[in-house]
Amino acid sequence: MSTDLRVRRAGSALVVAFDRPEVLNAFRQRTYGELVAVLDEAARDDAVGALVLTGTGRAFSAGTDLKEAGAQLAAGSDADLAERIAALQDLTRRFATHPKVIISAVNGIAVGVGVELAIASDLRLAGHAASFAFKEVHRGLFPSNGVLYSLPRLVGHGRAVDLLLTGETVGAAEAYRAGLVSRLVPDADLLDTALELAERVAAAAPTPVRLIKQAMRRVWELDLEEVLDLETEGLLACLRGQDVLEGVRSFVERRPAVYRGH
């Protein structure tokens, strides 16, 4: 039974709401464990086409629960702390390798792990009330969860350095202009828009969706020839399957396609 997350099905989407509004949805160790369990279950469930992450109340997530973390910092050895860091980073890896598309619908404050998980998602939407900040330098901490890798690729190196060194809070409109989020929508429409996007992704053929997700996380490290090879691998994987035939038939017959992921 989840206590820190509110999980529900909405069509082909699995909606996962961070649900500790009294502490702005701060993450404690239990929260991480519950999120990992939800991710694992969704990966095995063929009926889930995409996941939508959001927050309850006025925050997406204000980051790590500093009361719990402070107690662990005082009592933990270097090995204990390294184990905790590894667990955080494992969550980022799970986002990157998850077979389903992960969409973050950022409804409010996103700080620390909140903004880090949003960045680790495949798609990011923001309501007008959303805000983003990397406050580690003001907490005596260092960025984690792959931020040093992902943030420059979203907003550019110079802007990333600015955000990380200053801890500046960025509003939703500025986040959209900077490329931190791909869509900016009215607060009242945020979840519906995210669900519509999830249904659109879920209606597509699963194999190319999965392969595009994987490929787009690699292309920054590849040269042109390597990207062309990656395209060839992806096309061959799709052409060997049955979904491409269904895609062609459905187009000719002017009907919705029914893909089976083969």
Side-chain angles (χ1 to χ4, degrees):
M1 179 68 69
S2 177
T3 59
D4 290 4
L5 307 176
R6 185 184 301 171
V7 183
R8 66 179 177 91
R9 285 289 301 273
S12 299
L14 188 69
V15 180
V16 183
F18 309 137
D19 194 29
R20 300 184 71 208
E22 69 282 1
V23 290
L24 299 179
N25 302 324
F27 269 54
R28 52 185 172 177
Q29 280 192 292
R30 176 184 292 178
T31 319
Y32 288 105
E34 290 181 3
L35 184 53
V36 166
V38 169
L39 290 171
D40 288 348
E41 185 176 350
R44 297 188 294 266
D45 190 345
D46 291 338
V48 174
L51 291 90
V52 174
L53 309 182
T54 193
T56 300
R58 64 187 185 92
F60 183 71
S61 173
T64 298
D65 188 323
L66 293 179
K67 289 184 178 180
E68 180 188 75
Q72 292 174 339
L73 179 63
S77 65
D78 284 354
D80 293 333
L81 296 173
E83 184 177 345
R84 180 179 173 87
I85 293 169
L88 301 182
Q89 293 175 333
D90 180 62
L91 191 54
T92 300
R93 292 189 187 96
R94 287 174 182 271
F95 273 46
T97 59
H98 201 276
K100 311 297 174 67
V101 170
I102 300 175
I103 302 169
S104 276
V106 183
N107 57 299
I109 299 165
V111 179
V113 69
V115 69
E116 291 162 3
L117 293 184
I119 288 176
S121 301
D122 300 299
L123 297 169
R124 287 160 298 282
L125 293 75
H128 289 287
S131 64
F132 304 82
F134 302 88
K135 294 293 186 182
E136 285 82 1
V137 292
H138 297 299
R139 306 288 184 265
L141 294 170
F142 192 82
S144 58
N145 287 312
V147 164
L148 298 182
Y149 177 88
S150 301
L151 185 60
R153 287 164 169 77
L154 290 174
V155 303
H157 181 84
R159 188 64 172 125
V161 172
D162 188 315
L163 291 170
L164 292 172
L165 288 181
T166 65
E168 173 192 1
T169 298
V170 174
E174 173 59 24
Y176 174 69
R177 288 192 294 268
L180 189 57
V181 298
S182 61
R183 301 188 185 210
L184 179 61
V185 299
D187 295 317
D189 299 333
L190 177 63
L191 188 55
D192 285 343
T193 302
L195 291 174
E196 289 171 6
L197 189 57
E199 289 295 340
R200 192 176 306 171
V201 169
T207 298
V209 168
R210 175 175 52 82
L211 293 176
I212 288 170
K213 168 172 174 163
Q214 294 172 355
M216 291 306 294
R217 291 181 180 268
R218 294 180 55 195
V219 292
W220 288 99
E221 285 69 50
L222 304 179
D223 61 27
L224 175 59
E225 289 302 319
E226 290 170 323
V227 171
L228 293 176
D229 289 342
L230 190 62
E231 290 177 350
T232 299
E233 293 172 11
L235 277 168
L236 287 174
C238 291
L239 292 171
R240 293 190 191 107
Q242 296 298 311
D243 279 348
V244 64
L245 300 177
E246 170 62 12
V248 172
R249 291 193 192 104
S250 64
F251 176 78
V252 171
E253 297 170 7
R254 299 182 179 181
R255 60 171 174 81
V258 179
Y259 296 115
R260 304 190 184 280
H262 301 305

